[in-house]
mmCIF file of all heavy atoms in Angstrom:
data_model
loop_
_atom_site.group_PDB
_atom_site.id
_atom_site.type_symbol
_atom_site.label_atom_id
_atom_site.label_comp_id
_atom_site.label_asym_id
_atom_site.label_seq_id
_atom_site.Cartn_x
_atom_site.Cartn_y
_atom_site.Cartn_z
ATOM 1 N N GLY C 27 19.907 -18.033 -26.513
ATOM 2 C CA GLY C 27 18.446 -18.057 -26.119
ATOM 3 C C GLY C 27 18.310 -18.660 -24.737
ATOM 4 O O GLY C 27 18.778 -19.778 -24.558
ATOM 5 N N MET C 28 17.711 -17.991 -23.862
ATOM 6 C CA MET C 28 17.511 -18.551 -22.507
ATOM 7 C C MET C 28 16.334 -17.849 -21.778
ATOM 8 O O MET C 28 16.051 -16.639 -22.064
ATOM 9 C CB MET C 28 18.774 -18.583 -21.699
ATOM 10 C CG MET C 28 19.416 -17.227 -21.493
ATOM 11 S SD MET C 28 21.129 -17.418 -20.745
ATOM 12 C CE MET C 28 22.154 -17.257 -22.252
ATOM 13 N N THR C 29 15.715 -18.654 -20.840
ATOM 14 C CA THR C 29 14.657 -18.038 -20.079
ATOM 15 C C THR C 29 14.885 -18.381 -18.675
ATOM 16 O O THR C 29 15.334 -19.490 -18.312
ATOM 17 C CB THR C 29 13.317 -18.701 -20.514
ATOM 18 O OG1 THR C 29 13.111 -18.371 -21.913
ATOM 19 C CG2 THR C 29 12.168 -18.196 -19.794
ATOM 20 N N SER C 62 16.433 -22.062 -18.176
ATOM 21 C CA SER C 62 16.055 -22.991 -19.147
ATOM 22 C C SER C 62 16.498 -22.654 -20.550
ATOM 23 O O SER C 62 16.392 -21.539 -20.986
ATOM 24 C CB SER C 62 14.584 -23.254 -19.381
ATOM 25 O OG SER C 62 13.962 -23.646 -18.059
ATOM 26 N N ILE C 63 17.163 -23.642 -21.153
ATOM 27 C CA ILE C 63 17.633 -23.395 -22.582
ATOM 28 C C ILE C 63 17.181 -24.572 -23.395
ATOM 29 O O ILE C 63 17.345 -25.707 -22.987
ATOM 30 C CB ILE C 63 19.171 -23.198 -22.683
ATOM 31 C CG1 ILE C 63 19.926 -24.365 -22.038
ATOM 32 C CG2 ILE C 63 19.644 -21.955 -22.150
ATOM 33 C CD1 ILE C 63 21.442 -24.322 -22.164
ATOM 34 N N VAL C 64 16.657 -24.264 -24.566
ATOM 35 C CA VAL C 64 16.270 -25.358 -25.511
ATOM 36 C C VAL C 64 17.352 -25.307 -26.644
ATOM 37 O O VAL C 64 17.551 -24.245 -27.155
ATOM 38 C CB VAL C 64 14.877 -25.127 -26.051
ATOM 39 C CG1 VAL C 64 14.575 -26.247 -27.127
ATOM 40 C CG2 VAL C 64 13.882 -25.238 -24.938
ATOM 41 N N ARG C 101 9.031 -20.469 -33.736
ATOM 42 C CA ARG C 101 9.261 -19.132 -33.447
ATOM 43 C C ARG C 101 7.989 -18.363 -33.760
ATOM 44 O O ARG C 101 7.437 -18.399 -34.905
ATOM 45 C CB ARG C 101 10.378 -18.583 -34.334
ATOM 46 C CG ARG C 101 10.855 -17.117 -33.898
ATOM 47 C CD ARG C 101 11.828 -16.525 -34.887
ATOM 48 N NE ARG C 101 13.026 -17.269 -35.185
ATOM 49 C CZ ARG C 101 14.077 -17.324 -34.483
ATOM 50 N NH1 ARG C 101 14.178 -16.607 -33.327
ATOM 51 N NH2 ARG C 101 15.174 -18.010 -34.859
ATOM 52 N N ARG C 103 7.237 -15.225 -34.139
ATOM 53 C CA ARG C 103 7.342 -14.048 -35.135
ATOM 54 C C ARG C 103 7.238 -14.533 -36.579
ATOM 55 O O ARG C 103 6.538 -13.984 -37.438
ATOM 56 C CB ARG C 103 8.684 -13.277 -34.894
ATOM 57 C CG ARG C 103 8.903 -12.143 -35.757
ATOM 58 C CD ARG C 103 10.059 -11.245 -35.193
ATOM 59 N NE ARG C 103 11.124 -12.062 -34.700
ATOM 60 C CZ ARG C 103 12.159 -12.379 -35.281
ATOM 61 N NH1 ARG C 103 12.363 -11.982 -36.574
ATOM 62 N NH2 ARG C 103 13.162 -13.205 -34.700
ATOM 63 N N ILE W 7 6.688 -18.750 -24.702
ATOM 64 C CA ILE W 7 7.307 -17.548 -24.025
ATOM 65 C C ILE W 7 6.808 -16.369 -24.849
ATOM 66 O O ILE W 7 7.180 -16.338 -26.049
ATOM 67 C CB ILE W 7 8.892 -17.656 -24.094
ATOM 68 C CG1 ILE W 7 9.328 -19.075 -23.740
ATOM 69 C CG2 ILE W 7 9.488 -16.582 -23.310
ATOM 70 C CD1 ILE W 7 9.275 -19.301 -22.323
ATOM 71 N N GLY W 35 13.656 -13.187 -20.135
ATOM 72 C CA GLY W 35 14.300 -13.925 -21.265
ATOM 73 C C GLY W 35 15.533 -13.165 -21.902
ATOM 74 O O GLY W 35 15.562 -11.960 -21.837
ATOM 75 N N HIS W 36 16.253 -14.047 -22.676
ATOM 76 C CA HIS W 36 17.424 -13.448 -23.390
ATOM 77 C C HIS W 36 17.355 -14.222 -24.690
ATOM 78 O O HIS W 36 17.064 -15.454 -24.757
ATOM 79 C CB HIS W 36 18.654 -13.794 -22.579
ATOM 80 C CG HIS W 36 19.845 -13.076 -23.086
ATOM 81 N ND1 HIS W 36 20.654 -13.662 -24.094
ATOM 82 C CD2 HIS W 36 20.472 -11.962 -22.609
ATOM 83 C CE1 HIS W 36 21.665 -12.883 -24.327
ATOM 84 N NE2 HIS W 36 21.537 -11.811 -23.490
ATOM 85 N N GLY W 37 17.566 -13.480 -25.814
ATOM 86 C CA GLY W 37 17.589 -14.150 -27.110
ATOM 87 C C GLY W 37 18.045 -13.273 -28.106
ATOM 88 O O GLY W 37 19.006 -12.464 -27.821
ATOM 89 N N ARG W 38 17.462 -13.176 -29.250
ATOM 90 C CA ARG W 38 17.845 -12.233 -30.274
ATOM 91 C C ARG W 38 17.684 -10.785 -29.740
ATOM 92 O O ARG W 38 18.533 -9.981 -29.974
ATOM 93 C CB ARG W 38 17.027 -12.379 -31.480
ATOM 94 C CG ARG W 38 17.268 -13.700 -32.146
ATOM 95 C CD ARG W 38 17.467 -13.497 -33.672
ATOM 96 N NE ARG W 38 17.699 -14.825 -34.240
ATOM 97 C CZ ARG W 38 17.251 -15.238 -35.437
ATOM 98 N NH1 ARG W 38 16.599 -14.360 -36.234
ATOM 99 N NH2 ARG W 38 17.535 -16.390 -35.862
ATOM 100 N N GLN W 39 16.561 -10.560 -29.066
ATOM 101 C CA GLN W 39 16.304 -9.358 -28.430
ATOM 102 C C GLN W 39 17.117 -9.344 -27.231
ATOM 103 O O GLN W 39 16.661 -9.882 -26.183
ATOM 104 C CB GLN W 39 14.836 -9.306 -28.158
ATOM 105 C CG GLN W 39 14.398 -7.915 -27.472
ATOM 106 C CD GLN W 39 12.953 -8.045 -26.896
ATOM 107 O OE1 GLN W 39 12.446 -9.134 -26.836
ATOM 108 N NE2 GLN W 39 12.418 -6.972 -26.477
ATOM 109 N N LYS W 58 9.312 -11.473 -19.664
ATOM 110 C CA LYS W 58 8.454 -12.239 -20.509
ATOM 111 C C LYS W 58 7.432 -12.947 -19.750
ATOM 112 O O LYS W 58 7.593 -13.168 -18.510
ATOM 113 C CB LYS W 58 9.305 -13.250 -21.270
ATOM 114 C CG LYS W 58 10.385 -12.749 -22.229
ATOM 115 C CD LYS W 58 9.825 -12.186 -23.593
ATOM 116 C CE LYS W 58 10.862 -11.434 -24.293
ATOM 117 N NZ LYS W 58 10.382 -10.806 -25.473
ATOM 118 N N GLY W 87 11.646 -10.639 -30.528
ATOM 119 C CA GLY W 87 11.296 -10.814 -29.155
ATOM 120 C C GLY W 87 9.901 -11.366 -28.942
ATOM 121 O O GLY W 87 9.425 -11.419 -27.785
ATOM 122 N N ASP W 88 9.266 -11.620 -30.000
ATOM 123 C CA ASP W 88 7.869 -12.118 -29.892
ATOM 124 C C ASP W 88 7.739 -13.477 -29.065
ATOM 125 O O ASP W 88 6.758 -13.799 -28.507
ATOM 126 C CB ASP W 88 7.190 -12.343 -31.287
ATOM 127 C CG ASP W 88 6.572 -11.090 -31.729
ATOM 128 O OD1 ASP W 88 6.565 -10.078 -30.924
ATOM 129 O OD2 ASP W 88 6.093 -11.010 -32.866
ATOM 130 N N GLY W 89 8.835 -14.254 -29.187
ATOM 131 C CA GLY W 89 8.893 -15.448 -28.331
ATOM 132 C C GLY W 89 8.895 -16.682 -29.161
ATOM 133 O O GLY W 89 8.890 -16.796 -30.321
ATOM 134 N N LYS W 90 8.818 -17.840 -28.312
ATOM 135 C CA LYS W 90 8.965 -19.198 -28.871
ATOM 136 C C LYS W 90 7.835 -20.051 -28.302
ATOM 137 O O LYS W 90 7.324 -19.777 -27.192
ATOM 138 C CB LYS W 90 10.287 -19.764 -28.483
ATOM 139 C CG LYS W 90 11.579 -19.069 -28.813
ATOM 140 C CD LYS W 90 12.129 -19.490 -30.074
ATOM 141 C CE LYS W 90 13.593 -18.957 -30.274
ATOM 142 N NZ LYS W 90 13.722 -17.508 -30.324
HETATM 143 N N1 LIG V 2 16.704 -21.438 -26.965
HETATM 144 C C1 LIG V 2 15.816 -20.988 -26.127
HETATM 145 N N2 LIG V 2 15.625 -21.574 -24.949
HETATM 146 C C2 LIG V 2 14.912 -20.986 -23.996
HETATM 147 N N3 LIG V 2 14.208 -19.853 -24.161
HETATM 148 C C3 LIG V 2 14.455 -19.132 -25.287
HETATM 149 C C4 LIG V 2 15.275 -19.645 -26.309
HETATM 150 N N4 LIG V 2 15.310 -18.821 -27.323
HETATM 151 C C5 LIG V 2 14.496 -17.743 -26.949
HETATM 152 N N5 LIG V 2 13.951 -17.970 -25.717
HETATM 153 C C6 LIG V 2 13.054 -17.149 -25.073
HETATM 154 O O1 LIG V 2 12.256 -16.512 -26.069
HETATM 155 C C7 LIG V 2 12.295 -15.089 -25.936
HETATM 156 C C8 LIG V 2 12.251 -14.424 -27.218
HETATM 157 O O2 LIG V 2 13.303 -14.838 -28.127
HETATM 158 P P1 LIG V 2 14.124 -13.823 -29.014
HETATM 159 O O3 LIG V 2 15.214 -14.657 -29.630
HETATM 160 O O4 LIG V 2 14.522 -12.663 -28.281
HETATM 161 O O5 LIG V 2 13.086 -13.358 -30.141
HETATM 162 P P2 LIG V 2 12.271 -14.244 -31.212
HETATM 163 O O6 LIG V 2 11.376 -15.056 -30.432
HETATM 164 O O7 LIG V 2 11.635 -13.114 -31.959
HETATM 165 O O8 LIG V 2 13.279 -14.976 -32.003
HETATM 166 C C9 LIG V 2 13.550 -14.841 -25.177
HETATM 167 O O9 LIG V 2 13.566 -13.653 -24.410
HETATM 168 C C10 LIG V 2 13.669 -16.060 -24.297
HETATM 169 O O10 LIG V 2 12.860 -15.843 -23.016
#
Side-chain angles (χ1 to χ4, degrees):
Chain C
M28 54 192 101
T29 299
S62 301
I63 51 176
V64 175
R101 189 194 304 278
R103 179 164 43 92
Chain W
I7 315 286
H36 191 275
R38 293 229 177 144
Q39 180 194 11
K58 299 278 170 192
D88 273 353
K90 306 264 194 300

